[in-house]
Amino acid sequence: MQIEWVNWISVFMALIATASTIITYAVYRSSTDPEVIVYADTDNKRPSIIILIIENIGKGPAENISFKTSRSLPEKAFSIEEPRNMPNTMSTGPIINGIPFLAPNQKIILTWGQYGGLKKYIDGNSIVVTAQYGRANAKFWFNQLSSSSKLSVEAFYQTDISDLNWDRKISETLIKTNEQLQNIDKAIKKLGSEEI
């Protein structure tokens, strides 16, 4: 009877040791693995522009990064284009060609377009972007990782960036600026002719 209890205690201790090893390895991996994500955000310097950000939010460097999308992405989709024209499909750049290396917290920023142009192309659906990459300098064959991100332009609906009057506001600002420059030019020419 006592030997049976010793066996059960031995099995229990072995399970605890195995679980502890697994947890330690998981904590180690989370503190050293890269994680590459792709997301849309607003551009603080250009208020009407939505940008795409590719970022390594993990603790380790990633290498040989490639991307797969659930459908093609639009490229430079500006709503000031002809209303019946569809924005072009993305054909070059890091999402198409891949990225050789991303350090931890490093990001690559792409101008994606304006709300109106992107909404026209995506048509209310989300696009899933799957990043596949390796742990840089990994010595094991199982160093391949992947992560998925979901791009949605609808998230910007009814925000300042979705204001479809941006095009009109930009046009009005350009017209006013042009008129002011013409007035300055006339004033300079008038001053020049008065001196002669």
Side-chain angles (χ1 to χ4, degrees):
M1 189 77 166
Q2 191 174 7
I3 294 173
E4 200 173 294
W5 277 106
V6 170
N7 287 341
W8 280 110
I9 291 172
S10 297
V11 169
F12 182 69
M13 294 303 284
L15 287 174
I16 289 176
T18 303
S20 176
T21 302
I22 291 170
I23 291 169
T24 302
Y25 181 75
V27 168
Y28 169 73
R29 285 270 59 103
S30 69
S31 67
T32 59
D33 277 353
E35 185 174 358
V36 178
I37 62 169
V38 180
Y39 60 97
D41 201 356
T42 56
D43 188 336
N44 294 331
K45 295 177 183 172
R46 300 172 293 173
S48 70
I49 301 295
I50 296 176
I51 55 177
L52 272 183
I53 300 174
I54 303 166
E55 183 175 4
N56 180 2
I57 61 170
K59 303 291 186 188
E63 66 180 3
N64 301 324
I65 306 156
S66 62
F67 300 92
K68 290 182 181 175
T69 57
S70 59
R71 57 181 284 212
S72 58
L73 291 173
E75 179 177 55
K76 297 180 181 167
F78 296 104
S79 55
I80 56 176
E81 296 170 351
E82 186 72 26
R84 62 184 172 270
N85 289 346
M86 191 61 77
N88 292 330
T89 298
M90 191 177 286
S91 58
T92 60
I95 291 181
I96 303 300
N97 302 326
I99 303 169
F101 185 87
L102 265 182
N105 300 316
Q106 183 180 4
K107 48 175 88 165
I108 295 175
I109 300 172
L110 309 168
T111 298
W112 199 22
Q114 290 176 303
Y115 176 80
L118 292 168
K119 186 175 182 330
K120 185 189 330 179
Y121 187 99
I122 296 173
D123 194 29
N125 299 316
S126 297
I127 298 177
V128 177
V129 180
T130 303
Q132 296 177 319
Y133 47 93
R135 297 178 184 102
N137 307 318
K139 296 178 176 40
F140 304 106
W141 60 271
F142 54 90
N143 72 338
Q144 290 301 306
L145 301 169
S146 69
S147 54
S148 294
S149 307
K150 191 177 279 192
L151 300 176
S152 174
V153 177
E154 291 299 317
F156 296 99
Y157 179 66
Q158 290 191 337
T159 63
D160 290 343
I161 201 160
S162 71
D163 182 359
L164 299 178
N165 293 322
W166 272 109
D167 299 338
R168 184 176 51 78
K169 291 175 185 175
I170 290 170
S171 296
E172 288 173 0
T173 303
L174 289 174
I175 290 169
K176 286 179 186 175
T177 303
N178 188 33
E179 288 172 359
Q180 290 171 347
L181 288 172
Q182 287 177 356
N183 290 338
I184 291 170
D185 185 50
K186 287 177 187 174
I188 290 172
K189 286 180 181 175
K190 186 176 179 183
L191 279 173
S193 65
E194 287 177 0
E195 289 178 6
I196 297 174

